[in-house]
Amino acid sequence: MRRAIELAKKGGGFVHPNPLVGCVVVKDGHIIAEGYHEKYGGFHAERNALTYCKTETNDALLYVTLEPCCHYGKTPPCTEIIIEKGIKKVFVGILDPNPLVAGKGVKMLQDAGIEVEVGICEDEIRELNKVFLKYITTKRPYVIMKTAMTLDGKIAAHTGDSKWVTNEESRKMVHQLRGEMAGVVVGIGTVLADDPMLTCRLEGNHHQPIRIVVDSKLRIPIDCQLVRTAKEYRTIVATCCTDAARHVPTDIELIHCASKNGHVDINDLMTQLGTQGIDSLLLEGGGTLNAAFLEAGCVDEVWAFIAPKIIGGSDAKTPVAGKGIERMCDAINLQNIDIQNINGDILIKGKICSRE
């Protein structure tokens, strides 16, 4: 199953909004086939493994990270080919919460006389598919808030200079994360200050995230890099501006959101993005946008890079702005903490604790 998990990871960035799934077929103690879900619309892991297997599969064992699908979608159901190929027993990591499957895949296999065992490496697989598991049950994106700050909590000097807070290795990790998420989000303040590209700039074949700008008053400059490259990379501007005189170039996709105190309603934005099949977002905004997402309860996970440097300045910006929490006991807490040393920088990752 752990080999199936490693295979599943290869689909990162290419299968949105589908899950990451890996499959291993074993016979007489030897692996005879492997497969994973490679891209959205392509064969699922089980069908990839079994279709191209050159060895007789009768009485073989099949290991798959997620319950096999049992319905027709963009591809035929995986239960169908598992039954056809004479698989003896199927080991399933976790059940699929998709209402179209949700235990039906396991039952179909059992009804065909195939033994099924469920619940192997569950925690690892749930972490691997945290995006899918949220999206399939809520139809809203999984949001990771990424921040990069100095030891004294600053994301830029008082002059606005921010290149670079963290080291090259940390920045490379962020590009890797961009390549795994469906979209990357910034506020108009970041666009005006930094003129970013928001692309994954790693060597090789990597998914490019949808670039999303939260721009309540439609101030995005027509000569910024995001607008100039919108033909090449899908770019969305979210606004609550109703001024007909303001417009954006035709290459930009415009989303009109509800207004909340004159700004884009973040919850409405999340609903609309989810409707478009955008299942995950990397939040790379400044303090204002980070505060808005946190206040709306729309952040699922935090990646905080901390550089071992001090710049000071009472006017230097911090990762989260806004009015802020009034009492320490009401602070937003993280759980499942993971701490890494990134060549001197410190990365703290954690999930937002439920406030229920």
Side-chain angles (χ1 to χ4, degrees), residues 91 119 146 159 186 267 286 335 355:
F91 297 87
K146 186 276 297 182
T159 59
V186 296
N267 270 298
Q335 60 186 357
R355 292 192 162 190

Side-chain angles (χ1 to χ4, degrees), residues 305-321:
F305 290 88
I306 304 172
K309 56 183 71 169
I310 296 172
I311 58 173
S314 58
D315 294 328
K317 295 181 178 180
T318 59
V320 181

Side-chain angles (χ1 to χ4, degrees), residues 273-284:
L273 292 177
T275 301
Q276 293 194 24
I278 298 173
D279 65 358
S280 54
L281 298 172
L282 177 59
L283 180 58
E284 291 199 66

Side-chain angles (χ1 to χ4, degrees), residues 56-335:
E56 176 59 52
T57 57
N58 276 337
D59 294 329
L61 309 177
L62 185 144
Y63 296 77
V64 64
T65 54
L66 186 71
E67 178 182 9
C69 65
C70 54
H71 63 283
Y72 280 87
K74 291 186 177 295
T75 60
C78 293
T79 50
E80 185 178 271
I81 193 170
I82 292 172
I83 295 168
E84 287 175 1
K85 292 292 185 176
I87 298 299
K88 178 182 180 181
K89 183 173 182 178
V90 176
F91 297 87
V92 176
I94 63 172
L95 294 177
D96 187 344
N98 184 342
L100 294 174
V101 187
K104 300 183 186 72
V106 166
K107 185 176 186 304
M108 188 171 290
L109 294 175
Q110 291 173 331
D111 288 346
I114 298 173
E115 186 180 353
V116 181
E117 182 176 332
V118 180
I120 304 168
C121 302
E122 290 185 75
D123 291 344
E124 294 172 56
I125 295 170
R126 290 188 183 282
E127 176 63 20
L128 175 70
N129 274 305
K130 59 192 177 187
V131 167
F132 171 75
L133 293 174
K134 178 185 178 182
Y135 181 74
I136 199 65
T137 54
T138 67
K139 294 302 178 186
R140 288 163 67 91
Y142 187 96
V143 179
I144 296 178
M145 185 181 85
K146 186 276 297 182
T147 65
M149 59 186 171
T150 60
L151 194 59
D152 54 336
K154 309 298 183 181
I155 62 174
H158 70 90
T159 59
D161 180 62
S162 60
K163 290 185 172 53
W164 294 104
V165 174
T166 53
N167 62 39
E168 185 176 354
E169 192 171 343
S170 293
R171 299 197 299 275
K172 184 177 179 180
M173 286 187 69
V174 174
H175 281 280
Q176 181 69 44
L177 189 55
R178 284 182 184 178
E180 296 172 356
M181 304 295 279
V184 56
V185 188
V186 296
I188 184 60
T190 296
V191 175
L192 296 174
D194 299 336
D195 192 20
M197 273 286 286
L198 303 179
T199 53
C200 172
R201 293 192 289 278
L202 298 178
E203 294 182 2
N205 181 33
H206 292 276
H207 159 76
Q208 291 296 342
I210 301 166
R211 306 176 305 177
I212 303 164
V213 180
V214 179
D215 183 7
S216 299
K217 297 179 173 59
L218 277 184
R219 295 185 292 152
I220 190 166
I222 60 172
D223 61 344
C224 73
Q225 291 195 92
L226 292 174
V227 172
R228 287 190 283 110
T229 59
K231 282 185 179 180
E232 186 177 358
Y233 304 107
R234 185 180 175 190
T235 307
I236 294 173
V237 170
T239 189
C240 56
C241 178
T242 57
D243 186 348
R246 295 182 183 273
H247 65 277
V248 295
T250 54
D251 295 324
I252 297 288
E253 298 178 34
L254 201 61
I255 292 180
H256 285 280
C257 298
S259 173
K260 186 173 182 179
N261 300 321
H263 299 282
V264 165
D265 185 313
I266 300 301
N267 270 298
D268 184 42
L269 173 61
M270 291 298 96
T271 298
Q272 293 200 50
L273 292 177
T275 301
Q276 293 194 24
I278 298 173
D279 65 358
S280 54
L281 298 172
L282 177 59
L283 180 58
E284 291 199 66
T288 300
L289 190 64
N290 288 343
F293 267 77
L294 287 167
E295 289 168 6
C298 292
V299 177
D300 297 286
E301 185 174 339
V302 175
W303 285 38
F305 290 88
I306 304 172
K309 56 183 71 169
I310 296 172
I311 58 173
S314 58
D315 294 328
K317 295 181 178 180
T318 59
V320 181
K323 185 177 180 180
I325 300 293
E326 293 184 359
R327 300 185 303 168
M328 189 61 71
C329 62
D330 294 326
I332 297 171
N333 290 304
L334 302 183
Q335 60 186 357

